[in-house]
Amino acid sequence: MNMKNISAPNISFTDFILNGFYSLGEWRPFLFIPFLLMFLLSITANTILIYLIISQKSLHSPMYVLIGLMAVVDLILPIFFVPNMLLIFLFNWSGISLVGCLIQMFCIHYVGAFQSTLLLWMALDRYFAICKPLYYHKYMEIPNFLKFVVVPLIRNGLLNITMVSLAGKLSFCLTNVIDHCFCEHMALVQLACGDISINNLVGLLTAFLIPTADFILITASYIVIFTSVFKSGKAQMKAINTCITHIIVMTSSLIFALIAFMSYRIRNNFSTNSRVFVSTMYLLFPSCLNPIVYGVRTKEIRERFLQFIRKV
């Protein structure tokens, strides 16, 4: 069955078909099971983590509040695309309007951007706790900490609004079939029949000015932290352990994100299925992994979780 709908150049599609993993044929519906399990794991683990942080007064310090905010992001992000994916796999309900596609694209990219941004804020928290302990409470008071929050918030908003707005101005006359399970930016843009060089550039800038820039700043802050600890010989293993947890989460997220972004922009041997899989995993895998990593590696959260299990 040929799913490609070719049209005259003066017609622009306003409705699309999400066609991810279509080449799997009769095996495609079975994807419902692993993605449902991952979705349920993400929802359950992040909900428990949020509950523990809200309900336990001992977890109301800035670091745990930031971990709680990460859990909120990890809880919300899959909701924007996984339920729709599951319906596609099970019932082949694959239609989506251009407006719906752009809304989904903005929600995914904007909320997803906060995964790396929150890790940057966590790195700042650890920097003040370890390198400026006497001033920690001063810097981490809400009015002062907001100074560090405002710039990334504006950056994330402007870049994603620009990226999605430019995508919405394109004419889509080549095909209305998106080789993806959700409206990823380049998966839609590459269907346009005009020049997409500006869209490609803005997409790259968004990738490098958000996750990559955050990664560089986080790395720099951890170099300063580790240097300070080793030079002073401070007994800061608890804080260092927390830093290592952040690094594990950050590295796994960034690797998936950059592979997904670059797979559309450089020549490679990626099959369509591989590209869709990596793009899906860079959004869904951290949402499953993060609460488990923080729950296992953070002693206070682990102890509260075990208490919670005993009560249940």
Side-chain angles (χ1 to χ4, degrees):
M1 179 179 177
N2 184 14
M3 294 289 291
K4 302 283 183 183
N5 295 326
I6 306 300
S7 180
N10 62 341
I11 295 175
S12 181
F13 290 107
T14 56
D15 294 288
F16 296 88
I17 297 168
L18 291 166
N19 199 35
F21 299 114
Y22 189 77
S23 62
L24 293 180
E26 63 184 9
W27 293 101
R28 189 176 182 231
F30 290 100
L31 290 174
F32 174 87
I33 297 170
F35 281 109
L36 175 63
L37 293 175
M38 290 185 72
F39 181 61
L40 293 176
L41 172 62
S42 172
I43 296 296
T44 304
N46 285 296
T47 300
I48 292 172
L49 184 55
I50 293 166
Y51 169 76
L52 291 174
I53 291 172
I54 290 174
S55 62
Q56 301 295 323
K57 288 186 178 180
S58 61
L59 299 180
H60 287 183
S61 65
M63 183 184 73
Y64 297 115
V65 170
L66 289 171
I67 291 174
L69 288 174
M70 176 68 83
V72 171
V73 170
D74 289 336
L75 178 68
I76 294 172
L77 186 57
I79 293 173
F80 290 129
F81 69 97
V82 176
N84 190 49
M85 276 178 55
L86 297 177
L87 292 174
I88 291 171
F89 294 148
L90 208 56
F91 303 110
N92 203 30
W93 294 353
S94 53
I96 190 169
S97 67
L98 176 59
V99 173
C101 192
L102 293 172
I103 290 171
Q104 186 188 52
M105 183 192 302
F106 176 77
C107 291
I108 288 172
H109 286 289
Y110 183 66
V111 175
F114 283 98
Q115 288 181 325
S116 67
T117 302
L118 275 163
L119 286 168
L120 174 60
W121 294 342
M122 289 178 187
L124 279 172
D125 172 82
R126 293 298 84 198
Y127 170 77
F128 292 134
I130 296 171
C131 300
K132 307 282 185 182
L134 297 178
Y135 300 97
Y136 176 74
H137 292 291
K138 174 187 174 183
Y139 284 122
M140 294 307 293
E141 286 177 353
I142 294 299
N144 289 327
F145 191 69
L146 283 176
K147 296 174 185 176
F148 302 104
V149 171
V150 169
V151 173
L153 282 176
I154 295 172
R155 175 200 62 179
N156 294 0
L158 287 177
L159 284 170
N160 282 290
I161 288 169
T162 302
M163 184 176 72
V164 174
S165 298
L166 288 172
K169 291 179 180 179
L170 294 171
S171 294
F172 302 97
C173 57
L174 296 179
T175 176
N176 72 334
V177 177
I178 301 173
D179 285 327
H180 216 301
C181 297
F182 57 87
C183 287
E184 202 273 339
H185 175 246
M186 282 305 297
L188 175 67
V189 165
Q190 67 182 0
L191 304 184
C193 47
D195 180 23
I196 62 169
S197 56
I198 295 296
N199 303 82
N200 197 12
L201 177 62
V202 172
L204 279 173
L205 283 174
T206 302
F208 284 104
L209 291 179
I210 298 179
T212 309
D214 288 346
F215 178 81
I216 292 169
L217 291 171
I218 291 166
T219 302
S221 69
Y222 284 142
I223 289 172
V224 173
I225 289 169
F226 288 131
T227 303
S228 172
V229 170
F230 293 135
K231 277 185 177 179
S232 62
K234 295 175 183 175
Q236 295 277 14
M237 288 312 297
K238 178 182 173 182
I240 291 295
N241 186 59
T242 306
C243 291
I244 292 171
T245 304
H246 297 333
I247 291 169
I248 292 170
V249 170
M250 172 186 69
T251 304
S252 62
S253 300
L254 186 74
I255 288 171
F256 272 113
L258 288 182
I259 291 173
F261 278 119
M262 298 310 296
S263 66
Y264 283 99
R265 295 176 172 87
I266 59 174
R267 289 187 177 184
N268 54 70
N269 296 321
F270 265 44
S271 66
T272 301
N273 285 346
S274 299
R275 185 181 294 122
V276 173
F277 176 76
V278 171
S279 294
T280 305
M281 283 299 102
Y282 102 80
L283 293 175
L284 186 55
F285 182 72
S287 293
C288 298
L289 177 69
N290 292 353
I292 296 171
V293 170
Y294 285 120
V296 170
R297 291 191 57 85
T298 308
K299 182 181 177 183
E300 289 80 1
I301 294 176
R302 185 172 66 247
E303 288 175 349
R304 298 298 178 275
F305 175 70
L306 291 174
Q307 291 174 6
F308 170 75
I309 293 296
R310 291 188 196 106
K311 289 180 182 178
V312 173

